[in-house]
Amino acid sequence: MDMRRFLLWARGEGMLREVEGAVDPHLELARLMSGLDGKPLLVPQLSGYPGWRVVSGVCAQREHFAAALGCGVGELIPRMAEALERPKIPPLVDQGPCQAVIAAPDLSGLPIPRYHPDDGGPYITAGVAVVKDPRLGRNISFHRLMRLDERRFAARIVEGRGTHTALTRGGADLPVAIVVGAPIQVLLAAAMSPDQHVDELSIAHALAPIDLVSCHTVDLEVPADAELILEGRITQAVACEGPFPDLTGTMDRVREQPVIEVDHITHRCDPVFHALLPAGMEHKNLMGMPREPTIFSEVNRVCNCTGVYVTPGGMSWLHAVVRIDKRRADDGRRAIEAAFRGHSSLKHVVVVDGDVDVYDSGDVEWAIATRFQADRDLVVLRDQPSSSLDPSASQLPGEKARTAKMGLDATIAMGERRSDYERVSYGSIETAAHGAED
Ligand SMILES: Cc1cc2nc3c(=O)[nH]c(=O)nc-3n(C[C@H](O)[C@H](O)[C@H](O)COP(=O)(O)O)c2cc1C
């Protein structure tokens, strides 16, 4: 589902918030996005950037992904797992809307927002970088991009991942295409971390069909229905990147990061710029959701897993709830260990029975309150590799962060009488018929 179809769908569903009048991409836009976090937003005009519109909140709810993939919310995990297992190469077509207009290669003409007064500069936050690794092939992933001047960005490129591996292998400039306003299935695939030789554009095509077009100046392919394409090179030069808000909602520090030089810009007619609020729901969903199928697969190896939710309260990264169909006494404990294997940055996990709604934190807490005994059901793992995003983890320069991990088995203990643990039901009644509508 490309941005245009998403906007039509969200408007049709009555979800789209459309503001009136022009909004300033310098700070004002971010305040609006923050105030409406969780909802799709269309800004029809931007002060200083005639002809551009801004969309945000594209990935802010699971329903949006379900609509893009043509499935129910409950089917998202199996659909992601299936696409990860069986990627499909997308077709290459001769032309696409993303190349309808060739613009001057001048980044000051793009409505790149500044989100926070302390930011190092204006930032592209929903840019998906396409590169080709000479050995491993095509790779796509998100990289936040801080505009340095009319032609250059400083790009946050985390060490050891696909883009970084490709950049360090050649020792020379690495051709790159940055896709802004990518179809939703491309955004989701870009946030996944399959084995490095797996092409995430093929995962996107397996999630929902896409077409690709060849770039004009680099030997790379991009989604034909994207809004904006920046073609250029990731150079061996570095510049200061940051500060900028991280997933945690706290300021990330300044680092020396690779410089990208932009040589060629194309976009759709009447282009829509996708802005993603750092630490907002869109950021959280894109981080957490792709970990759910990997946790699901690992837990399924040891017992029957029926649901996984990487919860927004844990920054959609550090906490998960796993639902199992418990058959053996130690299934809960085995599910905890498997969940940590399925997402190595996971810090705390709660395992629940099939009658608990993983998306309802009150229901999960009820299961902990009524089914969990700390001296019997708690798993604590000491000194584990962890996420650099956790400020309480021990972080030594140049080394992977370390943390303690905790799993709570909040399933009904084997041998207990189930009915003692089940919620009573009062049956349903038509409240409106009694003049007491909800
Ligand atoms: C919204 C969003 C923003 C991200 N920003 C960055 C970033 O600035 N730098 C980075 O290296 N990874 C970033 N990531 C993570 C990468 O996209 C993610 O690790 C990707 O799955 C890596 O893929 P790869 O292992 O195939 O390279 C971001 C992810 C999301 C969802």
Side-chain angles (χ1 to χ4, degrees):
M1 182 184 263
D2 68 10
M3 287 298 131
R4 314 281 163 125
R5 289 203 183 90
F6 170 74
L7 287 169
L8 281 177
W9 173 81
R11 191 177 283 138
E13 295 289 313
M15 292 178 169
L16 187 65
R17 305 296 160 107
E18 295 180 69
V19 299
E20 283 167 14
V23 173
D24 193 340
H26 183 89
L27 303 178
E28 189 183 22
L29 177 67
R31 289 178 188 144
L32 202 58
M33 290 163 71
S34 169
L36 292 168
D37 189 26
K39 301 178 181 80
L41 168 69
L42 179 65
V43 176
Q45 286 174 54
L46 292 150
S47 326
Y49 299 91
W52 282 92
R53 298 178 286 163
V54 161
V55 64
S56 77
V58 176
C59 300
Q61 294 176 30
R62 276 166 195 259
E63 286 73 14
H64 305 180
F65 293 100
L69 271 50
C71 67
V73 169
E75 291 160 79
L76 284 170
I77 293 178
R79 286 288 300 273
M80 286 188 278
E82 164 80 18
L84 277 163
E85 221 159 88
R86 274 183 279 281
K88 290 183 191 159
I89 298 170
L92 189 64
V93 297
D94 289 340
Q95 48 188 342
C98 69
Q99 294 174 329
V101 177
I102 299 178
D106 177 0
L107 301 177
S108 62
L110 303 178
I112 304 177
R114 182 186 276 264
Y115 288 86
H116 188 273
D118 296 343
D119 289 354
Y123 264 88
I124 290 184
T125 50
V128 171
V130 183
V131 299
K132 264 183 202 158
D133 183 299
R135 286 237 306 271
L136 299 167
R138 194 161 57 196
N139 183 79
I140 69 168
S141 59
F142 282 90
H143 294 286
R144 69 187 188 211
L145 304 170
M146 188 182 98
R147 193 179 72 202
L148 295 171
D149 53 37
E150 287 75 13
R151 293 290 286 264
R152 299 180 313 141
F153 291 108
R156 172 70 179 126
I157 299 179
V158 175
E159 295 72 16
R161 302 250 180 82
T163 312
H164 184 257
T165 312
L167 180 64
T168 44
R169 198 187 299 286
D173 286 4
L174 180 71
V176 66
I178 291 143
V179 183
V180 181
I184 290 180
Q185 61 270 42
V186 173
L187 297 170
L188 184 56
M192 292 178 172
S193 294
D195 288 344
Q196 285 206 343
H197 65 277
V198 178
D199 166 32
E200 289 102 337
L201 281 172
S202 298
I203 294 178
H205 187 56
L207 287 168
I210 53 165
D211 288 337
L212 299 181
V213 284
S214 296
C215 288
H216 288 164
T217 63
V218 283
D219 177 23
L220 292 167
E221 303 78 35
V222 288
D225 293 325
E227 294 291 330
L228 166 68
I229 309 292
L230 310 172
E231 300 179 13
R233 294 156 286 114
I234 312 181
T235 69
Q236 298 290 322
V238 290
C240 286
E241 185 273 329
F244 195 64
D246 217 329
L247 180 66
T248 45
T250 54
M251 271 296 182
D252 198 3
R253 66 188 169 86
V254 178
R255 298 177 186 84
E256 288 207 320
Q257 290 289 291
V259 170
I260 293 183
E261 288 191 19
V262 173
D263 301 313
H264 188 74
I265 300 181
T266 66
H267 59 72
R268 283 178 83 138
C269 300
D270 191 19
V272 191
F273 187 93
H274 180 192
L276 180 148
L277 184 73
M281 274 315 295
E282 194 166 11
H283 194 181
K284 288 188 169 140
N285 277 334
L286 283 167
M287 289 297 289
M289 273 182 52
R291 308 301 135 184
E292 292 171 2
T294 62
I295 296 173
F296 185 83
S297 304
E298 280 298 327
V299 177
N300 246 326
R301 285 178 203 269
V302 297
C303 61
N304 187 21
C305 182
T306 59
V308 176
Y309 184 36
V310 177
T311 60
M315 295 164 355
S316 296
W317 196 242
L318 297 181
H319 289 179
V321 181
V322 170
R323 192 176 58 201
I324 61 168
D325 177 11
K326 184 169 173 172
R327 304 256 167 88
R328 287 166 306 192
D330 63 347
D331 275 355
R333 187 169 291 264
R334 288 151 65 94
I336 289 168
E337 287 160 3
F340 289 136
R341 286 195 294 278
H343 172 30
S344 60
S345 293
L346 192 64
K347 186 178 170 190
H348 300 141
V349 59
V350 182
V351 180
V352 295
D353 291 300
D355 61 338
V356 176
D357 180 357
V358 294
Y359 299 114
D360 180 344
S361 56
D363 215 24
V364 174
E365 192 178 343
W366 170 78
I368 296 170
T370 58
R371 300 177 180 184
F372 169 79
Q373 285 295 314
D375 57 356
R376 183 190 64 192
D377 302 320
L378 181 68
V379 175
V380 176
L381 305 174
R382 290 175 209 287
D383 194 25
Q384 301 289 307
S386 78
S387 170
S388 58
L389 289 172
D390 174 6
S392 72
S394 77
Q395 316 232 17
L396 295 174
E399 287 180 27
K400 184 131 181 72
R402 312 283 299 180
T403 189
K405 299 196 175 198
M406 177 175 75
L408 284 75
D409 175 5
T411 56
I412 302 171
M414 225 56 181
E416 295 283 309
R417 202 167 59 170
R418 277 197 79 82
S419 58
D420 289 346
Y421 291 87
E422 280 164 0
R423 220 191 275 271
V424 294
S425 163
Y426 296 103
S428 59
I429 196 168
E430 194 64 56
T431 48
H434 290 261
E437 209 162 350
D438 188 9

